[in-house]
Amino acid sequence: MMELLRKQGWHVDEKLVGALKLPTLNEKALCDIDITSLTKGFLPDVNSSGAAAVKMPGPIVLQVVKVSNLSAPSYDQSSQGAPRMLKVTMTDGKTRITGIEVGYHGKLSLQTVPGTKIRFNSPSISVRRGLVEINPAVIDVLGGNVSHLVERWKLKQDMMAAGLRTTHTSIGGDRPKFENFSDSALKQARRGEIEEKRARAKKKNLETKEDEKPQREKMSSDVSTDAMFHSRQANDVVGSKLSEMEDKAYKEKQEKQRAWREKRSRRGMGDEEYTIGGQKVMTLEEHEAMEARKAELAKKGTLQYPSECDSSLVMSIAMQLAEMGFDLEEGKRVAANARDISEAVAMITSGQQQQQQH
């Protein structure tokens, strides 16, 4: 019996089949059993063979894993607007290959349940990069009903009909509601994603700023300290310059006041000789010295006028009389015969009284 099954394409493992303890061992019984319980795999590693085609001797029996329509969207496989182009994923119990429908087969459809057995009758089967052609001329759909695979497939179909997603690996648990997005809904969803990204970026930016705040405060404090230090240095320099200028101005003022007081102590104008009518005017020191000399001569009884009287003394007395309002020429004449200003004034006053009496 095993030899007959191999000729029909059933590459089963005798030990695995013996462990099942089937009442009858035939093709119909094997169709209702999961192929993973019948064989450890017999296909070559067709997915890593590169561009070269792999030739496999036939016939071989494979089990359907999933049937889908390549022309229809994944969320609406039963779309009436999409042409039929079936993609059948199959397995030998270990390795998976993909079959692409190249001709219509009446026993293959989206309602073909997982666990269904398909026999490739061709004596040589060509597989390239894990793909094999499904030609109705060389295949037979044997059928089969693997109960646990069928139940799981029906549950997925019911969930799809109820509008629920079935992309999760586990059947149970809460699942998000399936939504058929329109263009406007897609735009709104993308806009929401963009806003969410901006909110996350803003939050991250705020967190970064909070983390950097102590460092910024320290830098600001250091800058303020440096600015204060340089400001104080500048103030010290300015203050020193102002102090020097004030000291210089004070010294200049003192010097001017000293020079002014020295000039005030003279009868002339500063250190220059002052003359009136070509006659030199003596200074205060010279006048005091002359007065002392006159007093000494008077004590000796040798004082004579005007021979002993210096011309500078005469001009000094004349200038004092002029300052008092008397005529300068009259002052010179009187000063030639007077010993000091008081005597000269007395002489002028006496002469004026005599003129008034006449």
Side-chain angles (χ1 to χ4, degrees), residues 6-9 11 55-60 120-125:
R6 286 192 181 93
K7 289 182 179 180
Q8 293 175 346
H11 297 271
K55 299 292 184 177
M56 297 185 301
I60 58 173
F120 287 80
N121 296 313
S122 177
S124 179
I125 304 166

Side-chain angles (χ1 to χ4, degrees), residues 253-266:
K253 183 178 179 181
Q254 290 293 101
E255 183 66 24
K256 288 181 180 180
Q257 289 180 351
R258 187 191 64 76
W260 180 75
R261 286 194 298 269
E262 183 178 351
K263 288 180 180 180
R264 285 287 303 271
S265 67
R266 296 176 177 273

